[in-house]
Amino acid sequence: MLPDEVMEIAQQEMLDWHGSGMSVMEMSHRGREYTSIAKQAEADLRELAGISDDYAVLFLQGGASSQFSMIPMNLLRDKRHADYFNTGIWSAKAIAEASRYTQVNVVADAKPSHYQTIPDKALWQLSDDAAYVHYTPNETIHGIEFAEVPEVGSTPLVADMSSTILSRPIEVDRFGLIYAGAQKNIGPAGLCIVIVHKELLGQTLPGTPAMFDYKLHSDHGSMYNTPATYSWYLAGLVFQWLKRQGGLAEMAKINERKANKLYTAIDASDFYSNPVDPRYRSWMNIPFTLADSTLDERFLTEAAEQGLLSLKGHRDLGGMRASLYNAMPEAGVDKLVWFMSDFERRFG
Ligand SMILES: *Cc1c(COP(=O)(O)O)cnc(C)c1O
């Protein structure tokens, strides 16, 4: 979801942005107007997340999936291997891509638990001299989330925050690189945000395409080529909306409350269940199943009639999945909980 308030501003500004006589979509990305939009969005993101000048903030295209290859190309440097946590489908994809460039050491593997828990810290096998350690703080499909930032010593820590960025405060200084496709928790598709420590720039593997070099994008203010201007603008409106909500500490309180309401409802019922280890349950993506899966279609149809949309589970898991991203209001969760209890009363 996107906040209604943000879409209404975009609607008002659609044909004529701030008296410029142009839509944002019609502006040259190098013009004065668009430059101000782009700079403001970056400044607001830096303020929201507490990003210091030691880090470059890049507004790229190609999605989080492109980062699966850009990260090894830029961060391997002269090292022989990289460490990866495998905690779900997105980690596994990142590992598959990195394996094209280097030896991947799997620090901890959640696959044997069907991605329902994260192996205990005592079992982690961090290697010596890894180029970086990669993990996925929130696995969007399995609804499993690290409870804290993993402790990895001085090795740069890389995080795929696609489905959790800005849902709570971020300790940016603990990371070498953070990346996120914008379409889950920021704005519309087409934009990918990368926050990278400047020390890690400028050491790409030989043969790295220009467009895959973070330093080149950083040197050009993410305008080496034409960026996704409209998505960048809308992301900027979302950053301003987040500031008006009270920032990330406030979002954390709201998001935790939203998730707790839904888990409480699921756990209180024999009709619904969520398989994830309660210590690692996601605030953002909550998969659940019905005791009788022949009722799935009916559940989805009736939910849609109530305005409760996009509840169908990922095709790999089936069942349902509620994504409670930042813009999903608490009242929406209340309505879902009410609907679930009503449905159970009638069919359970
Ligand atoms: C959605 C998602 C991706 C893929 O993002 P694209 O922008 O479609 O490439 C990667 N990682 C995580 C954690 C995701 O949720």
Side-chain angles (χ1 to χ4, degrees):
M1 290 182 73
L2 278 168
D4 283 348
E5 209 180 302
V6 162
M7 289 191 285
E8 279 159 13
I9 295 171
Q11 183 181 44
Q12 284 156 19
E13 296 180 341
M14 172 72 80
L15 298 184
D16 181 5
W17 183 83
H18 295 201
S20 65
M22 287 179 281
S23 171
V24 174
M25 282 179 269
E26 299 171 310
M27 291 175 182
S28 159
H29 63 288
R30 303 199 191 281
R32 182 167 49 87
E33 294 85 357
Y34 192 76
T35 306
S36 75
I37 292 172
K39 286 212 151 60
Q40 188 62 47
E42 180 178 336
D44 287 335
L45 177 59
R46 282 185 182 274
E47 185 186 327
L48 270 174
I51 305 168
S52 76
D53 288 341
D54 293 340
Y55 290 81
V57 176
L58 310 177
F59 292 80
L60 306 179
Q61 299 178 59
S65 301
S66 288
Q67 308 315 312
F68 295 164
S69 10
M70 287 176 82
I71 286 160
M73 285 177 174
N74 285 265
L75 265 51
L76 278 172
R77 297 161 290 155
D78 54 354
K79 309 280 188 188
R80 280 212 196 68
H81 61 273
D83 282 2
Y84 277 72
F85 284 88
N86 182 25
T87 54
I89 284 176
W90 292 115
S91 317
K93 287 197 169 166
I95 290 170
E97 194 60 24
S99 302
R100 294 154 58 94
Y101 300 93
T102 191
Q103 188 197 324
V104 168
N105 167 52
V106 176
V107 178
D109 192 357
K111 196 170 183 198
S113 78
H114 303 284
Y115 298 123
Q116 290 173 0
T117 189
I118 293 176
D120 201 75
K121 261 185 225 174
L123 304 171
W124 294 359
Q125 295 188 313
L126 291 160
S127 64
D128 292 332
D129 207 34
Y132 58 89
V133 182
H134 179 282
Y135 84 118
T136 310
N138 182 65
E139 282 283 356
T140 322
I141 294 170
H142 293 88
I144 180 169
E145 182 173 285
F146 280 76
E148 47 197 50
V149 178
E151 200 51 72
V152 298
S154 58
T155 311
L157 181 61
V158 175
D160 175 359
M161 289 199 188
S162 293
S163 51
T164 188
I165 193 162
L166 306 181
S167 64
R168 71 205 79 183
I170 309 171
E171 298 170 84
V172 175
D173 291 340
R174 294 187 61 183
F175 296 89
L177 187 149
I178 291 166
Y179 64 106
Q183 68 273 23
K184 310 261 168 57
N185 218 15
I186 297 179
L191 179 70
C192 180
I193 289 183
V194 174
I195 302 165
V196 55
H197 199 288
K198 288 176 182 168
E199 266 179 8
L200 294 170
L201 298 177
Q203 302 166 74
T204 52
L205 298 183
T208 298
M211 283 293 290
F212 274 39
D213 179 353
Y214 291 132
K215 182 165 192 302
L216 182 105
H217 290 292
S218 172
D219 288 348
H220 290 84
S222 304
M223 295 202 188
Y224 172 73
N225 72 323
T226 315
T229 52
Y230 200 73
S231 296
W232 188 337
Y233 153 75
L234 270 171
L237 294 182
V238 171
F239 301 150
Q240 285 173 8
W241 177 81
L242 286 167
K243 282 169 66 178
R244 289 195 297 277
Q245 305 312 301
L248 303 188
E250 195 53 35
M251 292 317 295
K253 285 186 209 152
I254 300 168
N255 286 323
E256 184 175 26
R257 212 160 55 221
K258 279 157 47 182
N260 280 340
K261 279 185 175 174
L262 187 50
Y263 285 121
T264 303
I266 292 169
D267 290 346
S269 143
D270 294 329
F271 187 70
Y272 301 106
S273 61
N274 166 287
V276 177
D277 181 342
R279 294 174 297 167
Y280 303 114
R281 280 174 160 181
S282 168
W283 289 2
M284 295 282 108
N285 309 99
I286 305 186
F288 60 93
T289 49
L290 275 51
D292 174 2
S293 64
T294 64
L295 288 169
D296 284 6
E297 277 311 314
R298 182 160 204 135
F299 181 93
L300 289 167
T301 309
E302 292 199 12
E305 284 162 8
Q306 296 292 332
L308 298 161
L309 306 175
S310 304
L311 282 167
K312 195 174 167 62
H314 189 272
R315 59 185 183 279
D316 290 349
L317 291 193
M320 311 297 152
R321 178 176 51 161
S323 288
L324 311 183
Y325 296 128
N326 274 341
M328 168 79 177
E330 195 164 346
V333 180
D334 292 339
K335 187 162 181 186
L336 174 60
V337 167
W338 167 82
F339 169 75
M340 287 168 67
S341 120
D342 185 62
F343 190 86
E344 179 176 0
R345 189 178 50 74
R346 288 181 291 121
F347 297 103

